[in-house]
Amino acid sequence: PALRATLAVAQNGDYELRVDLARCGALVPVGDILQQSLSSGERSAFSTAMAIVGYCGPCANVESTGGGSVTSLQNAVRTLSVLLISEGGKDVDSRGDANASGQRRRALLSLKFESLRTLEALSANESLHGTMISDALPALTQFLARLDDLSSEIDIADDMLCAALKTIQRLVSLPSSASSAAAKAMIPSLVRILDASHNGDEQGVDNSRKQEVSLELLHSIAVGKRDIASNGGLLSGGVLDSLASLLGEGEISPKMTLHCLDIIGLILSDINAANAPNFNPALRDAMLRQFVDEMSGQEQFLRALVATMVATRDTDIEKLSISPSLYGTPLRLPRDAGRHPAEYQSIKVLFNISSILCCGDVNGTGKEHFLHAFMLKGVRGATETVAFACSVFLQILMDEVNGLCVPQNPAERVSFLEVKLPPIRSILLEGLSSSLDECMSGNGSRTHAETLICYFKIPQLCLRFCQSKTVSQAAFDLYENIVLPLPTDVLGDLLLADKSSLVTLFDLVTGQNNAVPDYEHSKQTFALTLGNLAKAGSLSSAVEHFGVRNNAIAALSAAMQGSEDGNIDEHEDSLPRICVESLAAILCNNEQDELEITALEARAIAMSTGKVLSSTVLSRFFTQASLESTFDDTMDHSSDRSTISKSAEARLLCSLASFPETLEILKKVGGLEAIGLIAHEGELLAIRAVQKACESSPKSVVDVDAHLSIMDALIQVESKLKLSTDLPDASKFRDVALKSLEIIASLSKDGETKSAVHSADQSFGCLTVAMCIISVSSKELRQKSITAKEGIFSSGSCSAPGKIAVESVKIHTAPEHNDHNQTAGRTNNDLQLGDLVFVDSTSSSRQPSPSKSSQSQVEQLEGVVAHLGVVKFAPGDDWIGIRLTGSSVGLGKNDGTVKGVHYFDCGDNENNGVFAKRNNVKKQQNGVEPEATLPDTGQEVDMVVIAEETVTPPVVDAQQEQMWDRLLLKDDLALEIAAFSILLSFSSSKPHRDLMMQSETWIEDISSVIQLQSLALMNFQCNALDLLVSFTLHVQKADNRLANLLCSVVESRTKMIQITRDKQELSGSKRLLSLAMSGLQNLFSSFMDADEKTRSMKIASDL
């Protein structure tokens, strides 16, 4: 009764009451009763005493109860351990048969079950841990080994099993060699329990509780006893196969799933650790073989891992309409506040398994098993799902710093990046390429495939992997076979969506960081992408948007290597051709279709590609010329030449030449010659480049015959006008004519290039064009003036200027007796004011350097003597002051004033005066230039001042007037001024001057405009009068009508100066007045004696 009362108090009391029972020493007699009842077979007393021990035993300790209670409990542990491993019921009932009936056996199992529960409770008492490990743990281990014999009492056995496992789990966590040994011996039993429970699941039996407790114990052993788990301890015990089967085929709780993944992760870590250099090779090979063998039958488990990985992208699955169920059911894993740490663990396991199967197995069977599971071999309609899975896995593996699978240990990270990661990426890229290729070949799946490619940004992924030596080939195959055939707009949206992809593409084209084995072919392929994007117009805008213009220029320039002959191949798919086209597209201003480039960019491009650009253009033109020579001259090849001149390399070359520094670079590699050929076809960009060259080095233009190309381009404007009716074309032709006229005029004024221009066969054609422009403009201006009822200032018969007479003059060509020495010894008395003279250019600092020719001619300036004698800026009395005329106007050094002292007037031109020593000045003989001196025959010959028999002046018909009228602008006389400039420069050449002076109608037209009173026409009038005045230097006798015209200008402009207050009109009138007086002086000087000339000069100066 006392025992039962004690049980009632312990059973119904709280924890404090149980502590009081233990402290009062009640456990000592209870322990004695426990042992006695076991010996005597008193089952009721034994059960009651065991229950009291179970309730109060966890509360007893040495400090509170003294040593007696603990000792009694230790003895109780030993007693219960003996009961647990007893074979039958004779230890309980001595009167019974050893082979007890089923009822007795069940009673024994019931006592064992009570013992297990009591041991489980006592395991919480730290004072008993030593006894529990030494006595109870071996008994529990032995009990588990015999558990198979209890299959007939399965309901009792499951409860007993769970109680035993929980007790063991608590004990194996204690630091003890005995607990480690027991835990190691327990692993096979746990594996058998899991396998048996798994088979029970298949038969419809619920074994979830037994599985859970077993897994918890196995997890505790794996995590807490690393010495057991290492060196293949878990792998050799069949744990991997058991857990993989459980995960692949059975539905277990999320907690159990997580335990399984943790244990498998430890096994994988153990296998990876075997790759250490100091590890036993034989053991390592054995572990790898066992791993591969066990995983070869776990295809369902591998697919469950893939399904779990794919399920983490549930939003993507819905968007892309993917069927992940082909991989099976994902693992059931716990979730934490919307995040997926458990899924991440499964992905790590998947990566480690795949890396061991694909990298560790030298026989290749492991890789084959992995591919069969991951790529869904044998499953129909799985290509889209496989492509999705490969894309997800690749995207997960993209982060090499903080990625899910990246180890935290630095040493392990190196192995991960260099050994494990590359093969998996290659396999995934190959699988993705294969599955997408199959999708693209089917009409129904192609759209889904393109959507997937865009969604996962496959092109960017390929570009990045092409820079990695380990996976570059697989990435390039995917790019070439799948990405490149995509529509250009789709590809552009992907590759041009971010800066890094665009820069990477440029780097791959140049070969920078390009790791693809077939280096040249890959560069060609990536360049083709750039070419397609450039043609679509999206490349240039992306370059501008991301600010990578310098990257683009550097990349394309570096990749623009010519073929074996040093030229850019004309084939549209060749690397240099694609690069030059792409570069032109990037530099192109879409609004004006012109290349926009800075000086620094131009220099960089010229340094790297100037030679190949120049060589290509020259080669194409020479090839075209050779081709044309084999055909009939009647065939028109202009379109072929135009194609060359409009090519990307031609446009790029001309743009580079617009900078002086770059032009110097191009000159050294034949660039200016190539530009000249382009200018021949009327390309405005090339003509502007030639004009730039004229500004810095006119002689270089003539040396490569570029001046002939410019002259041809000017002459061809009229023929091209006939074929075009568009106003934009007319504007372009006007610019071509204007720039060409300016270039020719500039070269005609330069001492080193003047003779080359004047002697060119095309010079007369250019002269004709200029005369046509002036004639058409004069008629137009005169007609507008009449329509506006503006008055015409005229005097006498000059209101309608007549024709300039054409007469022969008798000139005696006696031999010249004065040589250079005689000329040098002349005095100022030989010259008088108003004499026409030539001055040696070596006395003027404004003249260019002499020609390189060994027989260089000294250039001469022409003018009128305006001062004789002493000057204040230098010693000597043989100084000659000369006012320049004709083509020399503007080439002087002063305006007649030197160091504040005024010697003579030069009009409004500040650089129209020159001072020279007498020995540098030569008087013009009979108004004829020295180079035009007739042969020394001693006879009289006829010299025609205007020879109609030898030159044919242009006659402008109605059609020509209409064409040239399209190029003339109402408020802009730039074209006319340029035409006057070339006419004035040609007036110093007798053949060209004769052609102009023979055209009576043309002279009438400009004469009539000169007399108009219009401020808007002032520049035109000044240029026209300047030209006519230049003629007065070369006529042999004064013409009455030309003299009357000049007098009319003097009279009308003198009146205008008296009455107007407009500064512009005053300035223009003074300029016209000065020119007219100069012309009159030239006409009359040959008929004056010295006094008359002196007076006329004074009167002119006063005026």
Side-chain angles (χ1 to χ4, degrees), residues 938-951:
Q939 301 176 354
E940 281 191 351
V941 296
D942 286 339
M943 178 177 177
V944 181
V945 178
I946 305 176
E948 292 184 351
E949 296 83 7
T950 58
V951 290

Side-chain angles (χ1 to χ4, degrees), residues 430-501:
E430 292 170 1
L432 180 60
S433 180
S434 176
S435 56
L436 286 177
D437 185 48
E438 189 173 344
C439 290
M440 300 288 275
S441 61
N443 295 329
S445 303
R446 184 178 183 88
T447 303
H448 287 86
E450 291 184 0
T451 304
L452 186 143
I453 291 171
C454 296
Y455 191 83
F456 286 100
K457 300 180 180 180
I458 301 300
Q460 293 96 316
L461 180 143
C462 292
L463 293 182
R464 176 177 172 180
F465 284 159
C466 283
Q467 294 180 310
S468 172
K469 293 181 179 180
T470 53
V471 297
S472 57
Q473 187 59 57
F476 179 72
D477 291 340
L478 174 60
Y479 184 89
E480 184 177 31
N481 299 328
I482 304 300
V483 175
L484 193 60
L486 290 174
T488 304
D489 57 339
V490 175
L491 191 57
D493 291 340
L494 293 172
L495 293 180
L496 305 180
D498 59 271
K499 179 178 179 179
S500 60
S501 298

Side-chain angles (χ1 to χ4, degrees), residues 10 15 18-19 21-22 27 30 49-61 65 69-70 72-74 76-77 118 121-128:
Y15 179 80
R18 293 172 185 173
V19 171
L21 282 175
L27 290 176
V30 171
M50 186 166 49
I52 295 172
V53 170
Y55 283 120
C56 299
C59 306
N61 54 67
T65 61
S69 297
V70 174
S72 296
L73 290 175
Q74 292 174 344
V77 170
T118 302
L122 293 175
S123 65
N125 191 331
E126 295 182 0
S127 301
L128 301 176

Side-chain angles (χ1 to χ4, degrees), residues 113 155 308 403 460 539 768 792 799 943 1064:
F113 177 53
D155 53 335
T308 305
Q460 293 96 316
L539 180 61
T768 301
I792 301 178
S799 58
M943 178 177 177
Q1064 266 188 304

Side-chain angles (χ1 to χ4, degrees), residues 341-353:
E343 282 87 345
Y344 297 162
Q345 176 68 14
S346 68
I347 294 172
K348 293 179 183 179
V349 169
L350 174 62
F351 174 79
N352 285 315
I353 290 176

Side-chain angles (χ1 to χ4, degrees), residues 701-731:
V701 175
V702 174
D703 289 342
V704 297
D705 290 336
H707 66 297
L708 301 181
S709 297
I710 297 298
M711 299 170 87
D712 284 330
L714 176 62
I715 296 170
Q716 294 168 8
V717 168
E718 184 174 317
S719 61
K720 292 179 179 179
L721 276 172
K722 295 179 182 178
L723 303 176
S724 175
T725 58
D726 295 336
L727 289 177
D729 287 344
S731 176

Side-chain angles (χ1 to χ4, degrees), residues 248-269:
E249 299 179 8
E251 290 194 5
I252 57 178
S253 68
K255 182 179 179 181
M256 293 171 61
T257 302
L258 197 56
H259 283 335
C260 289
L261 292 176
D262 287 342
I263 297 170
I264 293 175
L266 292 172
I267 295 174
L268 296 173
S269 298

Side-chain angles (χ1 to χ4, degrees), residues 747-761:
L747 294 174
S748 297
K749 295 177 181 179
D750 188 89
E752 290 185 296
T753 59
K754 178 178 180 179
S755 60
V757 175
H758 288 178
S759 62
D761 294 339

